[in-house]
Amino acid sequence: MIILPHVTDASDLSGKRVLLRLDLNVPIEGGEIRDPYRIEKSLQTLNYLRAQNARIVIISHIGKGDPEDTLAPVARYLNTKFPTTFLSRLESSENERLTKEMEDGDVVIVENLRHSKGEEKNDSQFAAYLATLGDVYVNDAFSVSHRAHASVVGVPALLPHYAGIQIREEVERIAVAFKPARPFLFIVGGAKISTKMPLLKKFIGIADHIFVGGANVNNLLKSKGYEIGTSVYDKDVDGDLTELLESNRLILPIDVVVKNDAGSEVRPVNQVNSGDMIVDIGPETIKYLEGVVGSAQLIVWNGPLGFYEQGFTEATRELISLVSGSRATSLVGGGDTVALIDEMGAIDNFSFVSTGGGAMLDFLANETLPGIEALQK
Ligand code: 3PG
C-alpha cells in the first residue's frame, strides 16, 4: 500500500502560498479548450485549498513547450469558476513578489513550465526558482508524475510537500490491479509495444486474460509468423515475445480490419495480404471478447484498439459499450480512449477514469512513479 502525506492532513494552510502542480495539459483548438476534463478533475483540490484560505499558485505544462503553447485559455477557463490571475511570464523576477502580495483564497496561474528548458532537465536552479513561488508544495498531477521533471521531483525536495486529492484517488483506484478480483481482464491498446514490454510481462503473470490491441498487436502477429502487410509495427522490440505468445492468458484477434487499395475490409487474421494494412480489430474478435468481458470481475484498459489517428475507432467503441454494460469494476485511462468514452457519454459507466495515459501504464508496471516517490521523501 502506498502511503502519501495528504493535503487534507496538512495543518493550517491558511495564509500560506501553496505551489500546486496540476496537469492542465488540455487539447486546445483555435485558442479554445476542446476538452476540459483534466481541469474539471483538478477543481476538487483547488476548491479544498480555497476553502482553507490558502493562496494558490498553480504551475502546469501544456503541450511540448513551444512559444505558442500557452496556459492563457486555461487561465480564462478557471476564471469562469473563481477569480484567477494569469502570470504571463514563467520566469520573471516579479513573480515571487506578486505571489507574496496575494490575499488569502487568491488563485494565480503561472505560464507554461515547459517554456523553460530547466523543467524537463530537472535543473536544480529552475526548481529553486519555482520553490520561491510557494511555502508549501502540493502535487495533484498524477498524469505527469511519470516524468522526473523539476516541478514533479525537484520542487518537493525543497518545500514541505503533500499529495492532492486527485492523485491519491488515482493511486488508490489503480492499485486494485495489483490484488485483483478475478477473473481479471487486462486490455492494452495503442502503439510502441517496446515501451510496454515490462508491463505486459508483469501482467501476463497477474491477469487471467490479456487482450492486446492497436499497433501493439501487429508485433505479436508478426512474431507468430502471420503476414501483416504494410501494418505499423514497432521495430525497437528487443528480445522475443515468446513468453507472451505461449501464454494461454493472451487473447489474440480472430479477425482484423485491413485497409488497402480497394478500401477497407474485414479478414480472418491469417488471411492478411502483403498489400494490406491492419487498422482495427474485427467483429468476430469483439464477439469473443463479449464473453470474457461479461464474466470479468475487474477490467483494466489503456489505449485504443484501432488506428485512432486515421479514424478507425469502431472496435474501441464496441468495447466501450460492452465494458459499460458489464458488472465488472472497470478502470480506464489514456487520452484517446477517454476522449472516445467521453464522446459516447459513457464516462459514468466506468468505475474509474484515470487522467493518466503514460503515467497509468508506468504506475501499473512499477507500482510507483517518480512524482509519487518524491512525495514520500
Ligand atoms: C499527458 O498528456 O500525458 C501528460 O500531460 C504528460 O505529457 P507529456 O507526455 O508531454 O509529458
Side-chain angles (χ1 to χ4, degrees):
M1 188 176 159
I2 293 178
I3 312 273
L4 290 172
H6 196 238
V7 68
T8 56
D9 296 330
S11 58
D12 202 14
L13 293 170
S14 176
K16 296 229 174 89
R17 294 175 306 154
V18 175
L19 188 63
L20 176 62
R21 191 7 167 148
L22 297 175
D23 184 356
L24 303 175
N25 183 23
V26 290
I28 308 276
E29 255 172 33
E32 294 304 318
I33 294 167
R34 190 159 47 79
D35 178 5
Y37 183 66
R38 281 182 171 163
I39 308 179
E40 292 290 331
K41 294 291 271 188
S42 299
L43 292 178
Q44 223 184 333
T45 294
L46 276 166
N47 285 329
Y48 175 79
L49 291 171
R50 289 175 63 236
Q52 300 301 306
N53 289 319
R55 304 170 182 202
I56 305 160
V57 181
I58 301 171
I59 49 174
S60 174
H61 72 285
I62 188 161
K64 296 291 168 210
D66 296 334
E68 62 274 19
D69 291 332
T70 172
L71 284 166
V74 174
R76 284 198 296 276
Y77 186 92
L78 284 172
N79 203 41
T80 64
K81 307 279 178 187
F82 37 73
T84 304
T85 305
F86 182 46
L87 303 187
S88 61
R89 284 174 60 208
L90 168 63
E91 289 175 285
S92 159
S93 52
E94 288 289 276
N95 285 352
E96 182 181 1
R97 180 181 60 76
L98 290 170
T99 62
K100 286 191 167 151
E101 286 171 7
M102 290 168 77
E103 312 236 322
D104 295 358
D106 278 359
V107 180
V108 305
I109 176 167
V110 187
E111 182 57 295
N112 192 357
L113 287 164
R114 291 188 182 171
H115 283 179
S116 166
K117 289 201 169 50
E119 166 64 355
E120 294 189 47
K121 285 190 196 146
N122 186 18
D123 176 77
S124 57
Q125 274 185 6
F126 182 60
Y129 161 70
L130 291 176
T132 64
L133 305 181
D135 306 311
V136 170
Y137 167 88
V138 173
N139 179 354
D140 206 26
F142 175 81
S143 46
V144 73
S145 289
H146 58 318
R147 308 282 187 216
H149 293 175
S151 66
V152 178
V153 299
V155 183
L158 304 172
L159 291 176
H161 46 264
Y162 299 94
I165 296 169
Q166 170 66 13
I167 197 171
R168 184 163 92 163
E169 192 187 3
E170 294 266 8
V171 165
E172 285 175 3
R173 299 301 290 269
I174 300 173
V176 303
F178 307 134
K179 286 200 180 130
R182 296 186 182 283
F184 167 26
L185 169 62
F186 188 56
I187 305 163
V188 184
K192 297 200 197 111
I193 195 171
S194 57
T195 63
K196 294 169 182 165
M197 286 310 291
L199 179 75
L200 291 170
K201 284 192 172 167
K202 173 176 178 169
F203 277 89
I204 203 76
I206 298 178
D208 299 286
H209 308 283
I210 292 196
F211 182 71
V212 179
N216 295 327
V217 79
N218 300 336
N219 276 80
L220 293 173
L221 296 174
K222 188 171 157 56
S223 287
K224 217 171 153 58
Y226 288 123
E227 173 68 61
I228 63 164
T230 61
S231 307
V232 176
Y233 73 99
D234 189 345
K235 297 183 180 67
D236 291 335
V237 181
D238 57 354
D240 66 275
L241 301 167
T242 321
E243 187 189 342
L244 288 174
L245 288 167
E246 284 180 350
S247 170
N248 58 11
R249 297 170 176 210
L250 181 74
I251 302 169
L252 279 176
I254 302 162
D255 57 349
V256 288
V257 178
V258 299
K259 194 175 97 163
N260 51 32
D261 290 343
S264 63
E265 57 190 308
V266 175
R267 283 188 193 280
V269 76
N270 58 358
Q271 286 176 32
V272 172
N273 295 325
S274 57
D276 292 338
M277 174 188 266
I278 300 172
V279 289
D280 209 353
I281 299 302
E284 284 303 316
T285 310
I286 296 295
K287 210 178 282 172
Y288 177 80
L289 285 175
E290 186 171 357
V292 184
V293 168
S295 62
Q297 291 289 336
L298 174 66
I299 300 169
V300 178
W301 177 10
N302 186 305
L305 304 187
F307 201 155
Y308 181 87
E309 294 79 0
Q310 291 199 6
F312 290 94
T313 59
E314 188 61 30
T316 307
R317 288 173 193 275
E318 297 279 343
L319 193 60
I320 290 169
S321 300
L322 291 180
V323 178
S324 287
S326 84
R327 60 196 164 88
T329 298
S330 50
L331 313 181
V332 64
D336 298 339
T337 322
V338 174
L340 283 176
I341 293 172
D342 199 15
E343 196 187 300
M344 290 170 69
I347 291 265
D348 292 341
N349 301 341
F350 285 75
S351 312
F352 184 68
V353 176
S354 175
T355 54
M360 179 181 174
L361 294 173
D362 283 8
F363 182 67
L364 285 166
N366 303 318
E367 303 190 20
T368 188
L369 294 174
I372 290 171
E373 283 175 358
L375 293 175
Q376 291 173 313
K377 286 179 186 155

